[in-house]
Every structure is written in structure tokens, then in C-alpha cells.
């Protein structure tokens, strides 16, 4: 009986040591991988300044005091089958961005509906290449869908 228990203890100890070594080895291999940032222009900058202006200021389209390197946060909403900016007089999101002189936007998306997310990607598809867009959301599901729809954006 004592031999069987000793044998069981040795097997358990050996298994634990082997498991520890395997996990440690896998972690070490992962730490050796070099991180290569995606080719987004924002990664070339030493710091980002995200500015959250009141909607009234954004709707005036008078952004003279905003440096071109700053990133403006915008929260579009989905109404009546299109993405709009909730100004006093609602404006289509694409039209709003095209009229604005500013080209760097962080869109705060508060929807989890995949069809609506697809409509956002379609709305902004084909904007001029000088726009630098990023998406933010509290929902991982939304960001995953946006990554599928618009892989060139930053999330």
C-alpha cells in the first residue's frame, strides 16, 4: 500500500513538473516574438491627443483652434437606415466628414447590430485616403465586426 501511494505521489510530482516546464517554455517563446505595429499613421507619432469637443462645436464645423495632429472624438448615431451626426439639424455622417477640414476622427460606436455596423463601413467606404479613422466601442462584438468590415482602421 505504501509503495502504491509513493508511486502515485511520484507520478503526480512528475506530471506537475512537466506541466510547469511546458507552460514556461511556451511563454518564453511568446515573449521572444517581436511586435510589429500595423501600418496605421498614428503609430508613427510619439503621442496621441484625443479631443472630445461638445457636439455644438463640432456641428459648427469651425475647428480653427484644433491642431491637425489632434484626433477628434465623434459619436454618430444610426437613425432611419443611415448613420448621422446628431447636430441641431442632423447631418449624414459621410457628408459631415467630407465638409469638415479635420481629417483625424475617433468614432465611438454604440451599437451591437452587425447589419448596422456593416452600414457604417459602407457609408464611410470610399472616403478620400487622407482621412485617418479609428473606431472605439464598449462592445468587443462591435469591434470584431468593424475589424472584418474595415481592416485598415484602428480599433
Amino acid at each position: 500500500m505504501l509503495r502504491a501511494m509513493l508511486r502515485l505521489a511520484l507520478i503526480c510530482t512528475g506530471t506537475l513538473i512537466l506541466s510547469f516546464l511546458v507552460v514556461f517554455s511556451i511563454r518564453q517563446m511568446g515573449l521572444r516574438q517581436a511586435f510589429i505595429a500595423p501600418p496605421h499613421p498614428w503609430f508613427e507619432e510619439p503621442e496621441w491627443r484625443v479631443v472630445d469637443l461638445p457636439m455644438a462645436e463640432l456641428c459648427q464645423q469651425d475647428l480653427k483652434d484644433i491642431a491637425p495632429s489632434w484626433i477628434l472624438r465623434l459619436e454618430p448615431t444610426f437613425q432611419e437606415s443611415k448613420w448621422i451626426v446628431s447636430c441641431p439639424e442632423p447631418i449624414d455622417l459621410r457628408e459631415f466628414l467630407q465638409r469638415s477640414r479635420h481629417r483625424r476622427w475617433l468614432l465611438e460606436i454604440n451599437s451591437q447590430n452587425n447589419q448596422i455596423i456593416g452600414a457604417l463601413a459602407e457609408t464611410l467606404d470610399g472616403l478620400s485616403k487622407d482621412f485617418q479613422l479609428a473606431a472605439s466601442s464598449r462592445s468587443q462584438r462591435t469591434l470584431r465586426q468593424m475589424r472584418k468590415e474595415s481592416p485598415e482602421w484602428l480599433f
Side-chain angles (χ1 to χ4, degrees), residues 104-143:
R104 307 177 95 197
W105 296 92
L106 173 64
L107 302 177
E108 180 70 35
I109 310 301
N110 291 322
S111 173
Q112 294 182 1
N113 186 332
N114 287 348
Q115 292 175 341
I116 293 174
I117 302 303
L120 176 64
E122 289 174 18
T123 299
L124 299 177
D125 190 33
L127 278 177
S128 94
K129 296 296 179 190
D130 58 340
F131 276 97
Q132 297 175 6
L133 300 173
S136 173
S137 178
R138 293 185 184 122
S139 167
Q140 285 185 354
R141 178 180 176 190
T142 300
L143 293 177

Side-chain angles (χ1 to χ4, degrees), residues 53-71:
L53 293 176
M55 208 52 166
E57 285 184 44
L58 285 175
C59 291
Q60 291 174 357
Q61 299 277 329
D62 185 27
L63 305 172
K64 294 176 187 171
D65 299 335
I66 304 297
S69 63
W70 293 359
I71 301 165

Side-chain angles (χ1 to χ4, degrees), residues 23-120:
V23 169
F24 181 76
S25 299
I26 291 173
R27 287 204 62 208
Q28 287 301 103
M29 286 187 291
L31 292 175
R32 288 189 191 129
Q33 293 177 353
F35 173 73
I36 300 171
H40 196 280
W42 293 1
F43 284 111
E44 297 171 5
E45 298 178 15
E47 66 180 22
W48 299 349
R49 180 162 186 185
V50 178
V51 181
D52 190 8
L53 293 176
M55 208 52 166
E57 285 184 44
L58 285 175
C59 291
Q60 291 174 357
Q61 299 277 329
D62 185 27
L63 305 172
K64 294 176 187 171
D65 299 335
I66 304 297
S69 63
W70 293 359
I71 301 165
L72 294 180
R73 185 183 164 282
L74 178 65
E75 190 172 336
T77 56
F78 189 79
Q79 291 179 359
E80 299 175 15
S81 73
K82 63 181 181 177
W83 284 93
I84 62 166
V85 177
S86 300
C87 292
E89 187 175 313
I91 304 172
D92 182 63
L93 176 61
R94 183 185 181 99
E95 182 182 331
F96 176 84
L97 292 175
Q98 287 176 333
R99 285 199 290 178
S100 171
R101 285 182 266 152
H102 199 75
R103 296 294 184 234
R104 307 177 95 197
W105 296 92
L106 173 64
L107 302 177
E108 180 70 35
I109 310 301
N110 291 322
S111 173
Q112 294 182 1
N113 186 332
N114 287 348
Q115 292 175 341
I116 293 174
I117 302 303
L120 176 64

